[in-house]
Amino acid sequence: AQSVTQLDSHVSVSEGTPVLLRCNYSSSYSPSLFWYVQHPNKGLQLLLKYTSAATLVKGINGFEAEFKKSETSFHLTKPSAHMSDAAEYFCVVSVLQGAQKLVFGQGTRLTINP
Amino acid sequence: DTEVTQTPKHLVMGMTNKKSLKCEQHMGHRAMYWYKQKAKKPPELMFVYSYEKLSINESVPSRFSPECPNSSLLNLHLHALQPEDSALYLCASSQGGRDRNIQYFGAGTRLSVL
């Protein structure tokens, strides 16, 4: 079965410093992977997706992620954190079981310190 | 336009009430989804409609009844809910049929069952 594991439930960084949110996946074939962000009391917004094209994927708001098959990882990074980045981040793998199903990681709460 | 609109934004209901949640999209998507999200948890899939037919029911109790009147509209009918059903209910849509498709989420309906 396909799954994702987010290695940190909470990450705290200072404004202007780099952000690293870690995600490992488990899949028997080349997966479709996504990062979504959820601000408080809001719906989910897609940051970026990987679908077996380039291994380095650029997303919105300066975020990017690198697919590493050898490490079964899909970590999310940003060079310089902004206060508005404070939110919950979900690593997601997509599977087809009659229809598309999203399998979510448990989420990482990102806190930005001024 | 990548908007999924959910109404109402907030709903308070008693355990004997009947209410409905509404979700609408005008992106021409043929797959629509209902998710339930408890506080500090990832979304959990409830139902998937593909081409206006129910494709997936994740063993959801019958007090939740989905309906897809047309390709743009998705309803969730609620009856005799329990306090533990209080949660954020998210609707999403996608082009459907492939695991690489992006799901677009609405802002959700915050439901409180008294």
Side-chain angles (χ1 to χ4, degrees):
Chain A
Q2 297 198 87
S3 65
V4 288
T5 302
Q6 292 183 243
L7 301 175
D8 306 289
S9 60
H10 183 210
V11 170
S12 181
V13 302
S14 297
E15 189 175 21
T17 64
V19 174
L20 170 64
L21 304 183
R22 300 182 295 165
C23 174
N24 286 351
Y25 70 89
S26 173
S27 176
S28 56
Y29 56 89
S30 183
S32 291
L33 294 164
F34 304 81
W35 276 99
Y36 279 87
V37 61
Q38 186 175 31
H39 289 91
N41 299 312
K42 301 286 187 183
L44 282 81
Q45 181 184 20
L46 179 73
L47 282 176
L48 48 84
K49 72 171 186 177
Y50 167 77
T51 55
S52 74
T55 57
L56 183 61
V57 183
K58 293 188 183 300
I60 62 171
N61 301 334
F63 284 95
E64 62 182 37
E66 186 171 8
F67 176 78
K68 291 187 176 181
K69 186 175 180 180
S70 60
E71 299 177 9
T72 62
S73 69
F74 189 56
H75 301 336
L76 181 71
T77 60
K78 182 174 181 177
S80 176
H82 191 273
M83 294 299 291
S84 60
D85 294 328
E88 189 83 16
Y89 290 78
F90 293 101
C91 181
V92 182
V93 63
S94 177
V95 300
L96 278 179
Q97 292 181 358
Q100 182 193 29
K101 290 179 63 173
L102 297 184
V103 178
F104 286 80
Q106 288 301 302
T108 298
R109 182 163 60 95
L110 177 62
T111 301
I112 312 296
N113 303 309
Chain B
D1 182 12
T2 58
E3 187 172 356
V4 176
T5 303
Q6 290 187 244
T7 55
K9 294 189 187 307
H10 301 276
L11 180 62
V12 179
M13 60 186 292
M15 291 189 285
T16 59
N17 292 158
K18 287 184 179 181
K19 298 286 185 182
S20 296
L21 310 184
K22 179 180 174 181
C23 174
E24 199 163 5
Q25 57 87 15
H26 296 287
M27 295 177 277
H29 289 169
R30 303 313 301 266
M32 297 186 75
Y33 311 78
W34 281 116
Y35 291 84
K36 174 182 178 180
Q37 186 178 24
K38 301 285 278 184
K40 301 188 187 302
K41 295 290 187 182
E44 298 176 355
L45 182 66
M46 300 175 71
F47 303 103
V48 180
Y49 273 84
S50 181
Y51 291 86
E52 300 159 49
K53 294 190 186 306
L54 184 64
S55 293
I56 295 178
N57 176 344
E58 293 285 83
S59 302
V60 179
S62 59
R63 58 186 182 269
F64 296 91
S65 176
E67 178 196 21
C68 190
N70 58 59
S71 60
S72 299
L73 190 57
L74 184 67
N75 298 320
L76 186 62
H77 303 298
L78 314 173
H79 173 56
L81 294 193
Q82 303 297 309
E84 60 264 29
D85 297 322
S86 298
L88 181 68
Y89 288 84
L90 294 164
C91 174
S93 71
S94 74
Q95 291 183 331
R98 304 185 70 185
D99 61 354
R100 61 185 57 194
N101 291 326
I102 296 169
Q103 289 192 19
Y104 295 90
F105 285 81
T109 294
R110 176 85 50 195
L111 174 67
S112 297
V113 181
L114 304 179

